[in-house]
Amino acid sequence: MAEDAVKSARRVFEILEYFDRERRPLALKDVLEGLDYPASSGSALMKSLVALGYLDYDRERRTYFPTMRIAALGAWVHDALFGDGVLSGLMDHLRQVTGETVILAAQSDLHAQYVHLVHSSEPLQVTVPPGARRPLAASGLGWALLSVKSEADVEKLRRRINAEAPADAKLSREALAERLAEVRQRGYAFSKHTVSEGVGVIGAALPRGRFGRDYAIGVAGPVERLERKEALIVAELRDGLARLGG
């Protein structure tokens, strides 16, 4: 039993180091062949790393990619997300101007996963760790990520979400379409009390970046404060997204 535990721990680090060498999204087959792992244990380890927030999974392309939780294992992860520093500069600027926590999120299967945060200096602030996940169809940054997808892709995701949801929590096509239409019309999502009572997020999707990944950026804080600062936050978001798009 102890030997099995040691082998599993070693393989976790071998997987992370393999990503550090390859520096690209990898399919399960790539990892199994590259490390000569059996399919059953290799697949279980990859799923565990996703569940723990160290990898995110792109179901459409069937590839895995590290999150910022393991950025210390390789500086390239930071570079892959932030490139020339414009995005990280935007996050720092948003935090400075708004005084609130700024979050970068990516889609990870049926969730919006927080990959990087710049925390507020306010005594009352949103404090969540990198790797935290929120429901894709029931969170501000999740709505922002869905808003840039086609109706067909949104419907596929809705059906998968409903397949895993309890009977009293099914999401209707009309309700989700109405929500996303509002986000597209406004150009941003504003969630209030959706995940945590009293907490909200104002966010928007980023222009598609490296590796074809979808990201969204948002400002999080107490709903009352966000409502007072909404015009400022939206203006700064739009200005920043315009610079990124350019």
Side-chain angles (χ1 to χ4, degrees):
M1 183 69 70
E3 290 181 357
D4 289 341
V6 170
K7 182 186 293 185
S8 295
R10 185 185 73 244
R11 283 180 170 173
V12 166
F13 285 103
E14 287 175 345
I15 289 171
L16 298 179
E17 289 170 353
Y18 189 62
F19 274 101
D20 192 42
R21 293 195 300 273
E22 292 296 314
R23 303 192 179 191
R24 60 184 175 87
L26 297 172
L28 176 61
K29 180 181 178 182
D30 298 327
V31 176
L32 297 180
E33 292 180 352
L35 297 175
D36 194 25
Y37 285 174
S40 58
S41 59
S43 176
L45 279 173
M46 296 292 279
K47 290 179 180 178
S48 295
L49 287 170
V50 171
L52 291 170
Y54 291 101
L55 299 178
D56 76 56
Y57 180 61
D58 185 332
R59 188 178 183 86
E60 181 180 349
R61 297 172 180 80
R62 296 183 179 180
T63 58
Y64 295 84
F65 193 71
T67 71
M68 287 302 294
R69 291 191 72 175
I70 60 165
L73 295 176
W76 69 272
V77 179
H78 185 277
D79 294 339
L81 287 173
F82 298 112
D84 57 8
V86 175
L87 179 54
S88 58
L90 172 59
M91 294 184 71
D92 290 337
H93 173 74
L94 285 171
R95 203 276 301 177
Q96 182 179 5
V97 172
T98 68
E100 304 295 347
T101 296
V102 181
I103 301 171
L104 179 69
Q107 182 184 349
S108 179
D109 200 16
L110 302 181
H111 296 83
Q113 185 170 48
Y114 295 173
V115 296
H116 186 60
L117 296 94
V118 181
H119 287 290
S120 167
S121 57
E122 294 281 351
L124 182 60
Q125 59 169 283
V126 175
T127 54
V128 291
R133 299 195 299 174
R134 299 291 183 259
L136 193 61
S139 64
L141 292 179
W143 296 332
L145 289 165
L146 287 175
S147 71
V148 296
K149 296 184 179 295
S150 69
E151 291 185 10
D153 287 342
V154 170
E155 177 59 14
K156 289 178 184 176
L157 288 166
R158 186 191 69 84
R159 291 181 178 181
R160 291 189 52 236
I161 290 169
N162 280 349
E164 299 181 9
D168 60 349
K170 303 293 185 183
L171 183 64
S172 73
R173 182 172 186 169
E174 294 74 20
L176 183 57
E178 182 179 353
R179 173 70 68 178
L180 297 184
E182 178 184 1
V183 173
R184 293 175 184 127
Q185 181 179 13
R186 299 168 73 175
Y188 64 95
F190 192 169
S191 62
K192 303 177 184 182
H193 318 287
T194 54
V195 177
S196 300
E197 184 63 29
V199 175
V201 175
I202 297 176
L206 295 177
R208 177 159 285 191
R210 293 181 65 184
F211 308 128
R213 297 265 160 166
D214 291 326
Y215 292 93
I217 189 170
V219 176
V223 171
E224 184 179 351
R225 286 211 308 252
L226 293 184
E227 288 176 336
R228 293 200 308 266
K229 301 176 183 178
E230 182 175 359
L232 170 65
I233 293 170
V234 171
E236 292 292 340
L237 272 176
R238 287 174 173 164
D239 182 63
L241 293 176
R243 292 201 304 273
L244 288 174

